[in-house]
Amino acid sequence: MSRVLVPCHVKSTVALQVGDMRTSQGRPGVLVVDVTFPNVAPFELQEIMFKNYYTAFLSIRVRQQTPLHTPSKWVTCLRDYCLMPDPHSEEGAQEYVSLFKHQMLCDMTRVLELRLILRQPSPLWLSFTVEELQIYQQGPKSPSLTFPKWLSHPVSNEQPVPRLEGLPDPSRVSSEVQQMWALTEMIRASHSSTRIGRFDVDGCYDLNLLSYT
Amino acid sequence: MLQEESDLSLVIAQIVQKLKGSNLYAQLERQAWACLQRPEIRLESLKEDIKEFFKISGWEKKLQNAVYSELNVYPLPSHPSAPPEHLKEPLVYMRKAQGSWEKRILKSLNSMCTELSIPLARKRPVGEQKELLNKWNEMGTDEPDLSLFRPVYAPKDFLEVLINLRNPNYENGDSLSFRTHLGLIQVPLKVKDIPELKECFVELGLTTGQLGIDDSTQVPPELFENEHVRIGQKVLVQQDSAAAQQYIRQGSPTALRAELWALILNISSQPEDVKLTASNDDYYFVFEDYLYQVLLCFSRDTSVLGHFAYNSASPPKSYIRGKLGLEEYAVFYPPNGVIPFHGFSMYVAPLCFLYHEPYKLYQIFREMYVRFFFRLHSISSHPSGIVSLCLLFETLLQTYLPQLFYHLREIGAQPLRISFKWMVRAFSGYLATDQLLLLWDRILGYNSLEILAVLAAAVFAFRAVNLMEVTSLAAAEAVLADLSTLKVMPLLQIFLFATVT
C-alpha cells in the first residue's frame, strides 16, 4: 500500500458569501479551494492528507476524465465530513487528517481536478483553512520487509480461533501489521533523538546555568 | 470497516513494539524457555501448549495488565505525519505558551543561582557523600540552610499565566456574544456538562453503593460494605488491572487500597534497583524522611524523562561547565526534567499513609506523577490538563449556580482564584486524609482528573448560602478556608445526581 506524492497546484481560496463582501459584516463561513494537477496525467487517487486549521466540515468534488468526447462533470466524492465535532470548541481544530479512496462516494480513477469545500459555521473563529495539502496516488508494490515470520505465516495446523466480536480477522491483521510495522519504523527513524537521558558526561556534572534554547 | 481495522492494527503494532523492550518481555521469554521442560508441553502442539501454560500460571494476566497499562497511559498513535510536538500538544498557541512559561522559570532559576553564587549542580565532596549515606534515614531532621532560597514559583504565578492564555484565531473582543465566558479562562476548550458527567461517572450515582457514603456507621455493613470488600479481595486474587480499575470506582476498602493501587498502576512487586535503603523500622515513622528520600531520588530518576513524549512540557537543558552549545556536553537538569514548585511534596505525602516500604512508595509516586500529576502544572489542551479543569470548574459554576457565580464576580472574588490551589494540589493538604484517598481512588478508577473540578464546584455549591452573603474576596476565602470536615462522596453525588437543574 505504498503511495506516491502527486505534485499539485493549490489555488488561492475563494470565499463564498452572499451580498457585497466589502460592505457586509461577518466573516464567510464557506471557502472553496481548487486543486489542479498541471503536467500530470489523470491518475487514481489513493489518499488526501492535510493539516486542519479550524475547518469544521469538508466536502470534496472531483472532476474525472470521461471516455470519448463526453464533457467531464463535477461529482461529489465526500459530503460534509466532520473535522470538528463541536465547531465552537478546539477539538479537532489543528489535527492531521488522512482521507482514503475507500471513504469516497465514487471511484477515484482518472482524476483531473479536485475542489475542496470548507465550512466553518461558528462565528467565533477569525479564519479557517486546511494546510500542507498532499495528494497521493498508488505506488509500486512495496518490497518485502524483514519482519518476524510468525506474523505472516501462522502455523497451519492451528485450530482456527473463534472470531471474537468486533475484532478483525487475525490473518488479515497479520498482513496489515507488516505495513504498519513499516510505518512505525518510519516514525521512529524520523523522530529526532531529543532524549539524551543523562545527567552527567564522563562522571562530571558541574553545571552553572540552564539554557534557554 | 477497513479504516478502523487498520487503525487497530496500528495500535497493536505500536504496543507490541513498546512491550518488546520491557522487562516483562524478557521474563516471558525466559518462562517460555523454562516451561519446555514440563511434561505437558508437546512438540506437535508447542505453541498452543505454551499459551495454555501462560494462561494457567498467570503470565497471560500479567501481559494483559501491561497492555492495559499502555492503553491507559499513552495516547493513541497519531497520524504518521504528525511531528512529535503534535503528540505532546496539538494546539500551536498552547505549545508556545508552555514554552514561554518554561523560559520564565529557567530565567528565575538562573538569576537565583547567579545572585546566590551557587552552581546548579556539582559533585558532592567525598566527606559529604559519606555523611549523606549515614544520615539517609533521618534527613528530615537535618535540613540544610534553605532560608535564602525562594520557591521557583507558586501556583498563583501559574494561574496568572493561564488567565492570559489566548487563542490568536479566536474572537477575543469585548462585545458580549452567546459564548461569552464570565470566568478567568478564555480559551474555548471542550468541557463536559452535567449530563455528560453523569454518563461518565455513572458508578457514583444514587443507586450504586459507594465507599465514603454506604459504609458510614449508620448503614449496616451487610447492605453493601461486606460484599464490596469480598469482591475487592477476589479482584486482588485474580490480579486483573482492568477489573481493579472498574472496582475502585466505588471506592477502595482501607485494607486493600495499597495493593489495589499497585495493581492498577501495574507496579511490579520486585524491588527495583532504586538507590534507597529499605528501612524496616515500622515503629519509627517520620514522613519527613520519606518525603526527602522520595523526592531526592525522583529528581535523579532519568526514567521519568519518558513521559515528556506526551507531556506538553519539555525538560530543561544545560551544558557541562564551559561547553555551552556543544551537544556532546548537553545534559538534562534536573536529571528527571521536572522542576518542582512550592507545595510539590504534597503529591507524595498522602501516599506515605499507604506504603511503608520506600521502594514501593517511590514507584507508586513516580507512576502517579507520570500518569496524572504532571498535567496539573503544564499548559495543554488535554481534557485532564489544568486548563481544561479550570474551564470545567468555571463552566459548571456559571451554568448551574449562576447567581452565586455572578455575585462572586461582582465583589471581585472570581471563584477560580480560590479553587485553583485545591486543583493544582489535587486537594492534598486541604481534605482530611481518608477523604483525600477516597477521591484519589476515583482518579485512578476513571483515569481522569476531571473529578477534581467537579468536587471544587460541589464545594462551592455546598457553601453557596454563606458565600452569597460575603462582600469581599478575603471573606469568600475565609468561608472556604477549612475543607477538613468535608465528606467528598456525598458532595459529589449530590452535585451530579441530586441537584435540580
Side-chain angles (χ1 to χ4, degrees):
Chain A
M1 217 173 29
S2 75
R3 52 191 202 169
V4 167
L5 186 64
V6 181
C8 60
H9 173 62
V10 180
K11 291 195 183 151
S12 49
T13 45
V14 174
L16 300 184
Q17 205 171 12
V18 174
D20 187 351
M21 273 192 63
R22 280 164 308 186
T23 55
S24 67
Q25 301 190 330
R27 290 177 281 269
V30 186
L31 296 178
V32 178
V33 180
D34 274 336
V35 184
T36 57
F37 305 95
N39 309 322
V40 176
F43 63 95
E44 178 172 5
L45 185 135
Q46 179 78 15
E47 182 186 339
I48 299 176
M49 202 184 79
F50 57 89
K51 183 176 186 300
N52 188 18
Y53 189 76
Y54 294 95
T55 303
F57 301 100
L58 175 67
S59 301
I60 304 182
R61 307 198 89 203
V62 63
R63 192 164 68 87
Q64 295 166 298
Q65 187 189 49
T66 42
L68 297 174
H69 303 293
T70 49
S72 53
K73 297 183 302 177
W74 285 99
V75 179
T76 303
C77 58
L78 191 69
R79 185 170 283 128
D80 280 341
Y81 184 78
C82 180
L83 297 170
M84 288 169 64
D86 175 6
H88 299 304
S89 76
E90 299 267 13
E91 213 181 327
Q94 297 190 26
E95 285 302 322
Y96 287 83
V97 182
S98 267
L99 297 165
F100 298 91
K101 70 175 182 201
H102 66 260
Q103 293 171 272
M104 305 292 171
L105 297 168
C106 62
D107 77 62
M108 299 298 285
T109 51
R110 302 184 310 277
V111 169
L112 290 172
E113 233 188 304
L114 284 177
R115 181 167 280 168
L116 274 65
I117 301 163
L118 315 176
R119 288 204 300 119
Q120 177 45 275
S122 169
L124 298 170
W125 310 109
L126 301 180
S127 72
F128 64 97
T129 183
V130 294
E131 298 168 342
E132 297 173 33
L133 189 61
Q134 289 174 319
I135 317 286
Y136 293 93
Q137 62 174 316
Q138 179 107 29
K141 287 280 178 214
S142 55
S144 64
L145 307 151
T146 48
F147 50 84
K149 192 162 172 236
W150 56 266
L151 263 188
S152 67
H153 300 297
V155 176
S156 52
N157 61 355
E158 222 178 78
Q159 291 271 12
V161 179
R163 183 164 168 186
L164 297 166
E165 271 304 306
L167 288 180
D169 175 34
S171 51
R172 202 215 206 130
V173 170
S174 60
S175 64
E176 301 256 351
V177 168
Q178 51 172 293
Q179 276 121 16
M180 294 306 152
W181 213 285
L183 259 176
T184 55
E185 288 300 318
M186 228 170 65
I187 299 168
R188 270 188 357 154
S190 66
H191 274 192
S192 57
S193 57
T194 48
R195 223 154 292 143
I196 309 169
R198 58 159 188 243
F199 56 87
D200 66 346
V201 176
D202 295 333
C204 165
Y205 45 96
D206 289 343
L207 299 174
N208 267 345
L209 291 175
L210 294 168
S211 153
Y212 297 133
T213 47
Chain B
M1 274 220 9
L2 200 63
Q3 187 55 37
E4 284 159 22
E5 284 184 0
S6 66
D7 283 345
L8 185 57
S9 308
L10 185 56
V11 173
I12 295 172
Q14 290 221 350
I15 293 184
V16 169
Q17 194 126 27
K18 272 236 177 64
L19 289 178
K20 270 197 93 164
S22 72
N23 207 15
L24 180 65
Y25 183 78
Q27 288 177 317
L28 281 170
E29 252 190 343
R30 270 202 301 275
Q31 284 294 319
W33 277 111
C35 82
L36 288 175
Q37 321 276 344
R38 302 173 78 90
E40 62 265 23
I41 309 289
R42 289 151 304 174
L43 205 56
E44 318 83 69
S45 52
L46 185 64
K47 194 151 154 240
E48 281 309 311
D49 290 345
I50 294 187
K51 272 161 64 167
E52 190 60 33
F53 168 71
F54 276 164
K55 198 179 281 191
I56 301 172
S57 57
W59 282 99
E60 189 190 51
K61 198 49 117 309
K62 288 202 169 76
L63 180 61
Q64 268 181 348
N65 288 346
V67 172
Y68 191 66
S69 187
E70 290 292 319
L71 284 172
N72 262 345
V73 177
Y74 285 88
L76 290 174
S78 55
H79 196 272
S81 300
E85 313 82 84
H86 188 87
L87 196 66
K88 287 159 75 81
E89 170 51 53
L91 301 179
V92 175
Y93 73 92
M94 287 232 177
R95 287 207 294 266
K96 287 206 175 106
Q98 172 66 23
S100 317
W101 169 238
E102 278 170 17
K103 238 187 204 164
R104 257 178 70 179
I105 299 177
L106 299 190
K107 281 202 173 117
S108 166
L109 203 52
N110 276 346
S111 61
M112 188 159 47
C113 289
T114 326
E115 267 172 40
L116 301 174
S117 308
I118 44 152
L120 276 177
R122 58 169 179 78
K123 203 157 183 150
R124 272 190 224 279
V126 176
E128 222 182 283
Q129 282 187 42
K130 282 215 179 91
E131 210 187 307
L132 190 71
L133 266 166
N134 288 338
K135 289 229 180 93
W136 185 254
N137 292 326
E138 297 151 18
M139 274 199 284
T141 54
D142 184 42
E143 275 181 38
D145 180 16
L146 296 172
S147 54
L148 289 174
F149 289 90
R150 302 184 292 276
V152 183
Y153 66 95
K156 63 175 165 53
D157 304 318
F158 189 47
L159 178 59
E160 289 304 316
V161 174
L162 299 186
I163 291 171
N164 290 316
L165 202 53
R166 292 287 183 278
N167 179 344
N169 194 35
Y170 191 66
E171 178 70 80
N172 283 312
D174 286 324
S175 56
L176 292 175
S177 82
F178 69 99
R179 288 293 277 206
T180 299
H181 181 68
L182 295 173
L184 295 173
I185 304 294
Q186 293 294 323
V187 289
L189 296 173
K190 178 94 183 80
V191 292
K192 297 187 170 81
D193 56 13
I194 287 197
E196 286 168 322
L197 289 167
K198 275 161 89 154
E199 228 180 273
C200 177
F201 294 117
V202 66
E203 291 88 352
L204 301 184
L206 296 165
T207 51
T208 314
Q210 299 295 326
L211 288 184
I213 299 175
D214 300 291
D215 55 335
S216 69
T217 41
Q218 301 99 314
V219 180
E222 306 85 61
L223 279 182
F224 167 71
E225 201 180 345
N226 288 349
E227 182 64 14
H228 191 65
V229 172
R230 205 185 58 81
I231 297 177
Q233 284 158 341
K234 215 167 145 188
V235 166
L236 282 173
V237 162
Q238 291 291 317
Q239 284 290 297
D240 186 331
S241 281
Q245 193 165 322
Q246 179 63 36
Y247 168 80
I248 212 174
R249 291 177 179 188
Q250 291 168 266
S252 166
T254 314
L256 306 179
R257 184 175 276 127
E259 277 189 71
L260 275 170
W261 282 25
L263 179 56
I264 293 171
L265 297 169
N266 206 29
I267 305 289
S268 62
S269 47
Q270 287 103 327
E272 258 184 34
D273 180 27
V274 186
K275 291 183 182 63
L276 283 169
T277 44
S279 166
N280 289 322
D281 297 311
D282 288 275
Y283 59 92
Y284 188 62
F285 207 64
V286 176
F287 287 163
E288 252 183 285
D289 299 337
Y290 280 136
L291 288 178
Y292 270 174
Q293 288 181 21
V294 165
L295 290 172
L296 204 58
C297 291
F298 180 65
S299 66
R300 284 153 172 74
D301 188 347
T302 52
S303 70
V304 173
L305 291 170
H307 90 287
F308 284 106
Y310 51 88
N311 182 355
S312 62
S314 299
K317 241 163 70 165
S318 184
Y319 297 90
I320 298 296
R321 188 192 285 259
K323 308 282 191 233
L324 194 72
L326 297 176
E327 277 316 304
E328 316 89 76
Y329 293 92
V331 294
F332 287 127
Y333 179 85
N336 71 345
V338 179
I339 295 192
F341 56 88
H342 184 62
F344 192 83
S345 58
M346 294 313 289
Y347 291 144
V348 192
L351 303 175
C352 296
F353 280 98
L354 293 177
Y355 300 98
H356 308 324
E357 304 106 343
Y359 68 84
K360 201 115 194 208
L361 171 64
Y362 178 71
Q363 284 180 292
I364 297 277
F365 166 64
R366 182 181 58 191
E367 196 59 32
M368 292 282 282
Y369 183 82
V370 300
R371 277 198 201 205
F372 304 113
F373 296 145
F374 76 90
R375 298 203 189 275
L376 296 172
H377 59 98
S378 53
I379 303 175
S380 92
S381 59
H382 193 272
S384 274
I386 188 70
V387 187
S388 299
L389 296 184
C390 290
L391 187 60
L392 176 58
F393 164 74
E394 290 190 319
T395 309
L396 285 175
L397 225 53
Q398 185 175 334
T399 311
Y400 298 101
L401 294 157
Q403 241 187 338
L404 175 64
F405 191 88
Y406 189 74
H407 168 72
L408 289 172
R409 201 170 160 267
E410 286 294 291
I411 61 168
Q414 275 275 9
L416 186 60
R417 289 204 187 275
I418 303 173
S419 65
F420 185 71
K421 54 187 183 291
W422 305 337
M423 294 192 284
V424 155
R425 303 225 305 224
F427 281 88
S428 174
Y430 296 102
L431 296 172
T433 311
D434 65 317
Q435 296 300 310
L436 183 74
L437 293 174
L438 286 169
L439 179 67
W440 286 17
D441 281 344
R442 272 68 180 196
I443 292 180
L444 284 167
Y446 292 100
N447 200 32
S448 150
L449 293 166
E450 286 160 309
I451 199 123
L452 297 177
V454 181
L455 179 61
V459 171
F460 272 71
F462 185 60
R463 301 241 168 115
V465 174
N466 292 358
L467 285 168
M468 283 302 290
E469 292 174 9
V470 301
T471 50
S472 71
L473 174 60
E477 297 256 22
V479 169
L480 294 165
D482 182 14
L483 307 184
S484 58
T485 51
L486 292 182
K487 301 269 178 267
V488 304
M489 297 319 299
L491 280 185
L492 285 168
Q493 213 177 52
I494 292 173
F495 185 75
L496 284 176
F497 295 95
T499 307
V500 176
T501 47

